[in-house]
Amino acid sequence: MMWVQDFRKNALYQRSLDLAHEVYRTVEIDGENIGEKEAIQLRKRAVRITKKITHAIVQQNIKMKFKSLNEAKLELEMLLKQVYKLYDKKRIDEFSGFNIDCCANQVMKLLNFYFGVYREKRI
């Protein structure tokens, strides 16, 4: 029987949840300034990031871990691009933009850490 790591205790998973909560909070607060289509995109991206990270954590195959982490990283970059665009257009407030940026930064740092950890295991 294979052992699967409990993803709920993983720091990367926890920070991705923080990011998702922050995105949902921002959409709730600034909802009248954000279009419905954009709000749905933001929420979906936040959930996809957490989903990809969870998949990477429980995945046994290192290649599949890298694939999922890369997909999470791409989603994170697209989320940030969209958030920055909304901030520049003054459709989300500075506080919300800052909070999302901080959470995203933590997730990105942990993603890069896990790339290093898995790369070492691979070698």
Side-chain angles (χ1 to χ4, degrees):
M1 189 166 127
M2 288 181 117
W3 177 80
V4 177
Q5 183 177 353
D6 183 6
F7 65 90
R8 289 176 195 88
K9 295 178 183 174
N10 186 287
L12 179 56
Y13 172 77
Q14 292 295 325
R15 295 301 73 79
S16 70
L17 273 184
D18 293 344
L19 174 63
H21 287 296
E22 204 53 51
V23 167
Y24 269 75
R25 190 190 67 75
T26 298
V27 168
E28 191 70 33
I29 290 171
D30 295 321
E32 66 275 356
N33 300 327
I34 301 171
E36 187 177 336
K37 183 180 172 188
E38 290 168 321
I40 290 169
Q41 282 178 335
L42 286 169
R43 286 185 183 126
K44 278 185 178 181
R45 284 196 172 119
V47 169
R48 270 193 235 123
I49 291 166
T50 301
K51 182 180 171 188
K52 297 289 181 186
I53 286 169
T54 304
H55 187 260
I57 293 167
V58 299
Q59 182 59 247
Q60 297 296 321
N61 184 318
I62 296 290
K63 252 186 185 176
M64 294 303 292
K65 279 184 185 286
F66 271 108
K67 183 178 185 280
S68 292
L69 290 175
N70 275 318
E71 289 170 356
K73 191 172 181 179
L74 287 173
E75 283 290 339
L76 183 59
E77 289 168 354
M78 291 184 341
L79 174 79
L80 281 174
K81 221 179 267 187
Q82 189 175 8
V83 167
Y84 294 151
K85 207 181 289 183
L86 289 169
Y87 173 73
D88 288 341
K89 292 178 181 177
K90 307 277 189 247
R91 293 172 63 199
I92 61 172
D93 67 62
E94 188 175 350
F95 180 73
S96 296
F98 177 77
N99 285 342
I100 290 173
D101 188 55
C102 282
C103 289
N105 193 20
Q106 290 176 6
V107 171
M108 190 63 80
K109 285 178 181 177
L110 284 167
L111 277 170
N112 289 329
F113 169 77
Y114 277 91
F115 278 121
V117 167
Y118 295 138
R119 193 169 287 118
E120 285 176 14
K121 284 183 181 178
R122 198 173 177 185
I123 295 173

